[in-house]
Each structure stands twice: as structure tokens, then as C-alpha cells.
Amino acid sequence: MQAPFAVGAVIAAAISSASLGTATAIFAQSGPTGPGGATAPGGPTGASGPTGPTGPTGPPVPTPCMTPALRLRCPDLLMSAPSKLHLDRTTIPGRVLLRAASSINNRGSGPLEIRAHRIGSPGMGVYQAIYDRGGDRHLFRIAAKLVFKHVPGERYEHESVGDFSYWKFEHAAAFQLWSIDAQRRAVQLVRTGPKVDYCLRDLKRTRPSASSPRRPGYPACRQNPNTSSDVLGTSVGWSDVYPYEYPEQWIDMTGLHGSFAYVQIADPDNLLIESNKHNNVSETYLALPSGRALGHRVAVAAP
């Protein structure tokens, strides 16, 4: 699998942190500088339990967030535990879908900011912008993709809101269903869900603090398929939330019986630079086929 970003590029960007030169000039549109403040706590730990055999699929990579001389204010992504579980027997005839709400939360000391610039048709070069404590922006090339995704207007148990298409961050999250033993340890991956692409926006201010801006700095995603550049992101203390009614917010659980963990993973391919890569997984334990929730665990490294 391709490395999430070139180590050499990270080192080069770190060395030239005082002056970005051409890299900064690529983007005509400026973004928010992000709030200041000390590194935020890692978030709630939820119910305790042993970790399973696997975690996010990408290999660990060096991060400039751990270089004190750079004084970077890096993001830290956490998933809320899958919530509002709902059994859907109507979307796909003959199948039972287990729906759940999801929320990618930024609990770091700086914003998650993604900047993309068109380098061809339809490709875009994608960079992650990280701000230092002086407010200067530093760009790091990452092996991520923005996709122009069609979203159907149908909403589970609601009337259609009309079809739309948006620029989204590909593989922002993963939905998985794991079988578990009596101690709630992960045994086997049994199902995966289709929803992986997110707008990465400021939808809800879920952790108000002095480090969290009062107003959203990253609005809804762009809908122009011909845009030459784009900026996505989630500010400190804000979350990108999707309700259980939204398209692809499910895992097919047809025919399953027993105890399982509904797992949601932020940045499953390890494409993003964060201050902490060991708290991107959250899970809700449940019994099937009833769908009864048994507990949850938040901000861990693996199922």
C-alpha cells in the first residue's frame, strides 16, 4: 500500500517551516488561522476493555506534530461511539440494515484543514495545512483524494430532500462490525459499511472552550464540479456529524446472531497528520438480531 505521505516531503516541509514560498502561493484562497490554546484532552474513554488484533489499516508514519521546534498546533480526530442505532428493513428489500449516527470530532490544539488544488482533470493535489503558535500556515502534501460524490436525496423515514453532489474527503472514516467474545474482545471482522467519504466541516460545536471558535470556520462542502481549488476542515471543538437517516449510514446485519461491536474509525488509511493516532476508533457493543446496545468504548487504537 502506498505510504500516506512521503517522509522526505514532511522533513522538507519541517525544515522550511519559516517560509513556505511556492507551496503557499499555490492557493489564492486563504483559510482560517485556527484557534490558539494548549493541547486539548484526548476525550472520554468510555467503558474499558481489551483491544483487538487490528487497528486502522495504514502503517504508522513520522509526524511533524511531535517536533517541538515547529510549535505546531495539530488536530486530533476522535469518533464518537456509534449512536442512535436503528434497524432498517425498508431501504433494501429483504435485507436488515443496522443504522447509526456518526461524528468525527476535532479535539486537538489546531484545526484539521485540507487544501486541494486542481492539477489535471479530474485530479487534485491535496495538502494538509497545519498552523503554528504564531499563526503561520505550513503545508504538507498527503496521499489523500477529494471526490465529487453524488448524494441521493432519499432519507430513511423522511421525504426526499433532493439529489446533490459535493466535494468530499475520500476514506475519511470506516464502518465495521466485529464479532466479540464474552469479555468484549474483538474476534473477527464480519461486515463493513459503505459510508467512508465526509465533507469535513464545522457542523456542531461539541466541545466549547477558549480554543474553540464560536462560529464555524469551515462551512458546507462545495458543489461546483469545476472548482479549481477547495478548502475543507473541522475546527478545534467542532464536529462533522451525520445522522443515522443519511444515505450509507449503515452496515448490513442480515442473518447475524450474537454479540458484536459496531466500530467507527476516523482516518482508517492513516492519511492525515495528527497529534495522536492512537485514539481514532470508537465502538458500540450490541446484541443481534435485536439491536440492543450493551455498552460502548471511545477513543482507542483498535477494536
Side-chain angles (χ1 to χ4, degrees):
M1 185 170 70
Q2 185 179 9
F5 53 86
V7 175
V10 172
I11 296 174
I15 293 173
S16 60
S17 61
S19 176
L20 295 177
T22 304
T24 303
I26 291 176
F27 302 99
Q29 179 182 359
S30 62
T33 60
T39 302
T45 58
S48 62
T51 58
T54 64
T57 57
V61 294
T63 170
C65 299
M66 298 297 102
T67 304
L70 298 182
R71 303 172 67 243
L72 297 179
R73 295 184 290 111
C74 292
D76 181 17
L77 300 185
L78 283 74
M79 293 291 291
S80 297
S83 62
K84 299 183 179 180
L85 274 61
H86 196 98
L87 300 182
D88 171 7
R89 296 182 171 88
T90 61
T91 297
I92 303 179
R95 312 299 296 180
V96 182
L97 310 181
L98 180 61
R99 289 185 169 272
S102 64
S103 178
I104 295 183
N105 317 301
N106 183 3
R107 299 292 182 255
S109 60
L112 170 67
E113 182 173 303
I114 305 300
R115 291 179 162 262
H117 181 81
R118 191 176 295 280
I119 56 176
S121 181
M124 283 196 182
V126 180
Y127 297 79
Q128 182 172 346
I130 301 180
Y131 295 84
D132 61 31
R133 294 185 182 181
D136 292 328
R137 184 174 67 220
H138 308 269
L139 297 178
F140 299 86
R141 181 68 182 267
I142 58 175
K145 293 181 180 180
L146 263 59
V147 293
F148 194 64
K149 183 170 182 175
H150 173 76
V151 180
E154 289 75 18
R155 297 293 183 269
Y156 175 65
E157 296 185 329
H158 297 279
E159 294 182 358
S160 175
V161 298
D163 294 3
F164 295 95
S165 294
Y166 305 92
W167 284 103
K168 295 196 174 192
F169 187 90
E170 186 180 51
H171 297 170
F175 296 171
Q176 301 176 348
L177 194 67
W178 286 74
S179 62
I180 56 176
D181 62 16
Q183 287 72 44
R184 296 181 178 175
R185 291 176 298 200
V187 175
Q188 183 178 3
L189 176 64
V190 293
R191 301 281 171 86
T192 58
K195 178 66 163 51
V196 293
D197 306 329
Y198 280 65
C199 272
L200 296 180
R201 57 195 168 162
D202 287 347
L203 188 65
K204 292 185 178 181
R205 191 173 182 239
T206 52
R207 182 70 69 86
S209 70
S211 300
S212 172
R214 293 182 177 273
R215 297 183 179 276
Y218 303 94
C221 291
R222 295 188 179 183
Q223 298 178 253
N224 178 9
N226 300 315
T227 186
S228 60
S229 63
D230 199 1
V231 179
L232 313 178
T234 304
S235 299
V236 175
W238 286 75
S239 300
D240 187 12
V241 182
Y242 289 88
Y244 74 88
E245 301 97 335
Y246 199 80
E248 299 184 343
Q249 288 286 138
W250 49 261
I251 293 176
D252 189 339
M253 53 149 281
T254 307
L256 295 179
H257 295 75
S259 297
F260 298 85
Y262 194 129
V263 178
Q264 294 182 349
I265 306 171
D267 187 27
D269 296 334
N270 279 330
L271 301 176
L272 297 172
I273 303 170
E274 299 183 60
S275 58
N276 185 358
K277 298 294 293 186
H278 301 290
N279 60 358
N280 286 19
V281 178
S282 295
E283 54 194 7
T284 295
Y285 306 115
L286 67 152
L288 296 179
S290 69
R292 180 171 60 93
L294 305 173
H296 66 271
R297 199 169 58 140
V298 178
V300 295

